Amino acid sequence: MSSPLQSVLHPAGPDASVIADFAWVLFGGGTVIFLGVMALLVLAVRRRPEPVNARRWIVGAGFAFPVVVLSILLVWSTWRSAELTPQTSKGAMSIGVTAKMWWWEVRYRDPASGREFASANEIRIPVGQAVYIGLTSSDVIHSLWIPALNGKMDTVPGRVTGLTLRADKPGVYRGQCVEYCGEQHARMALHVVAMEPAEFERWLAREAQPAAQPNEPLLERGRAAFLEQRCQACHTVRGIGGTDAGGGHDNALLGPDLTHVGSRLHIAAGTLRNHRGTLAGWVADPQAIKPGARMPAAADLDGETLHALAAYLEHLK
Ligand code: CUA
């Protein structure tokens, strides 16, 4: 997998390639025109005053030149824009994304049962096909941008906007919120993981399953701590008691669904790499890492219980 670099200069899909071409043509053309204007400026300063044909300069450089250049750009960009994937759910796989302060809820449909299930801060897609992202927000206006795959799209409370993602090759592509949405706007990132279609199908089927059951005392203790701390008031772990067969969408959604949190690359919306140590640090004091986040600190946990809780979360693959 390629590095999760967030870069407009490394397009990884057809739409991002078209946008990158636009950027290069505008940047290159702008540079040439800028240099031309600077050369004229130097000439004007250095040359001794002599009569020039002012009308010819005004009509030629001030009117005809921009009209011709902008007209060519208009025609060319309209022609190239036709290559962009239409932003429609028709014939495309759909994934629902709800932006929240300050994380991303991601919902997939289980092809086996037809039910929706939730994940967070990571959008997994199969390579080589258009995936329609239906976007909304549950609080303020956010905006989703994954530069390697497409342009930006605002998420507006009470409305659904759409963005089509299409990756040419497997990899991890970082994205982030690009609309100032409060204190933790800067730590509202996410990753798109593009996988080979067969691998994606396997992942989706596993992700739709309820959570893994603890199979050793440490994990048992972690699960007990999870319930004791009332983590499930905000976080869903589908089937945490071994009874719930799935669903869970009517469960707590204030915080990310943690059913398979251990399989995600990052926690806290792209802020920390995901492993037992960062999980423990996050649970112990989220406010030190993301001040203003909705999650309170679990201050009364002793070290061993915290370790068990982190181990339990890590094992939820
Ligand atoms: Cu969400 Cu900025």
Side-chain angles (χ1 to χ4, degrees):
M1 284 197 178
S2 57
S3 85
L5 180 72
Q6 181 176 314
S7 168
V8 283
L9 303 178
H10 298 87
D15 294 321
S17 297
V18 171
I19 293 170
D21 286 353
F22 282 153
W24 280 116
V25 166
L26 291 175
F27 178 70
T31 306
V32 169
I33 292 170
F34 175 77
L35 292 176
V37 171
M38 288 303 110
L40 285 176
L41 181 70
V42 170
L43 275 180
V45 170
R46 288 181 57 179
R47 261 169 68 164
R48 261 171 298 163
E50 60 183 74
V52 292
N53 189 334
R55 171 181 287 244
R56 192 187 285 173
W57 273 102
I58 291 170
V59 172
F63 183 73
F65 179 72
V67 165
V68 169
V69 169
L70 293 178
S71 300
I72 292 172
L73 270 180
L74 177 69
V75 171
W76 178 75
S77 61
T78 307
W79 170 64
R80 285 299 311 268
S81 297
E83 289 172 34
L84 292 171
T85 313
Q87 310 296 312
T88 169
S89 56
K90 243 188 225 165
M93 187 191 131
S94 283
I95 296 175
V97 170
T98 303
K100 303 183 178 224
M101 290 158 103
W102 290 279
W103 59 283
W104 309 87
E105 183 191 288
V106 184
R107 292 179 312 280
Y108 304 86
R109 190 172 295 284
D110 174 17
S113 68
R115 294 171 87 170
E116 266 201 345
F117 62 87
S119 178
N121 301 324
E122 205 170 272
I123 304 176
R124 299 226 174 197
I125 60 172
V127 294
Q129 49 178 286
V131 178
Y132 177 79
I133 309 293
L135 278 165
T136 191
S137 165
S138 63
D139 35 50
V140 299
I141 298 177
H142 305 265
S143 186
L144 175 65
W145 190 31
I146 301 129
L149 298 180
N150 208 336
K152 302 168 184 175
M153 183 57 73
D154 278 4
T155 76
V156 185
R159 269 208 236 165
V160 176
T161 50
L163 185 68
T164 302
L165 300 180
R166 194 182 175 130
D168 286 334
K169 50 183 191 291
V172 180
Y173 309 104
R174 190 180 190 274
Q176 69 177 74
C177 179
V178 281
E179 177 81 38
Y180 182 71
C181 54
E183 221 175 335
Q184 290 303 333
H185 160 69
R187 292 200 191 92
M188 186 166 167
L190 82 172
H191 291 81
V192 172
V193 181
M195 311 162 87
E196 294 296 350
E199 196 191 340
F200 173 79
E201 296 300 331
R202 279 197 298 276
W203 172 84
L204 190 66
R206 201 176 60 232
E207 192 79 5
Q209 298 296 312
Q213 296 305 315
N215 50 8
E216 53 169 295
L218 179 71
L219 304 178
E220 283 284 3
R221 183 171 172 182
R223 178 173 67 178
F226 185 94
L227 295 170
E228 217 162 87
Q229 291 289 320
R230 299 206 35 75
C231 302
Q232 80 278 19
C234 298
H235 297 283
T236 298
V237 174
R238 282 175 274 131
I240 186 168
T243 48
D244 180 6
H249 206 64
D250 46 345
N251 292 354
L253 284 172
L254 208 56
D257 185 301
L258 300 179
T259 307
H260 297 284
V261 64
S263 66
R264 294 181 209 147
L265 301 171
H266 295 80
I267 58 168
T271 305
L272 300 169
R273 286 201 169 270
N274 186 11
H275 52 73
R276 201 177 291 194
T278 50
L279 282 164
W282 174 253
V283 171
D285 197 359
Q287 298 299 320
I289 297 159
K290 269 174 95 162
R294 301 290 187 257
M295 180 158 154
D300 57 336
L301 278 181
D302 63 87
E304 272 179 36
T305 311
L306 179 64
H307 175 71
L309 179 50
Y312 171 67
L313 294 173
E314 189 188 39
H315 118 287
L316 294 177
K317 304 251 186 206

